[in-house]
Amino acid sequence: MPISPDDLPLDSSLSDDFGDARRVAYGYVEDAFAEAQQDGLDSDALAHAALFAAFRTLVETYGEEASAVFAEALPDKIRSGAFSSGTRH
């Protein structure tokens, strides 16, 4: 299944099964972050490592060009608050 710029983990436009799997996966990632923070790891270091691992997997799965197209949509989504949870800066 190819990725698209709108193919984000919590995207409500995804099919129920596909979206459910991503929501469950997101829960695992959140749990891993919480555990690592309890062990004293810095959240900034965790975020960078998670992004690197995620993009490495995307490139391995879909290739460099499809992953780059996906990444091109991220600035607008970030600026519009798609990843915000609370007060926006």
Side-chain angles (χ1 to χ4, degrees), residues 8 73-89:
L8 296 172
L74 292 176
D76 289 336
K77 290 193 177 285
I78 292 167
R79 289 183 184 106
S80 69
F83 301 100
S84 298
S85 62
T87 306
R88 291 180 57 188
H89 298 270

Side-chain angles (χ1 to χ4, degrees), residues 60-81:
E60 288 173 358
T61 303
Y62 301 107
E64 292 170 347
E65 184 58 29
S67 298
V69 169
F70 172 80
E72 287 171 353
L74 292 176
D76 289 336
K77 290 193 177 285
I78 292 167
R79 289 183 184 106
S80 69

Side-chain angles (χ1 to χ4, degrees), residues 28-71:
Y28 278 99
V29 171
E30 279 191 320
D31 291 346
F33 264 69
E35 185 175 333
Q37 287 174 323
Q38 288 175 351
D39 288 346
L41 291 173
D42 179 62
S43 61
D44 184 56
L46 290 165
H48 281 89
L51 285 170
F52 182 85
F55 274 102
R56 184 173 182 168
T57 299
L58 288 173
V59 168
E60 288 173 358
T61 303
Y62 301 107
E64 292 170 347
E65 184 58 29
S67 298
V69 169
F70 172 80

Side-chain angles (χ1 to χ4, degrees), residues 2-15:
I3 57 174
S4 73
D6 293 325
D7 199 12
L8 296 172
L10 302 177
D11 191 332
S12 61
S13 68
L14 296 172
S15 71

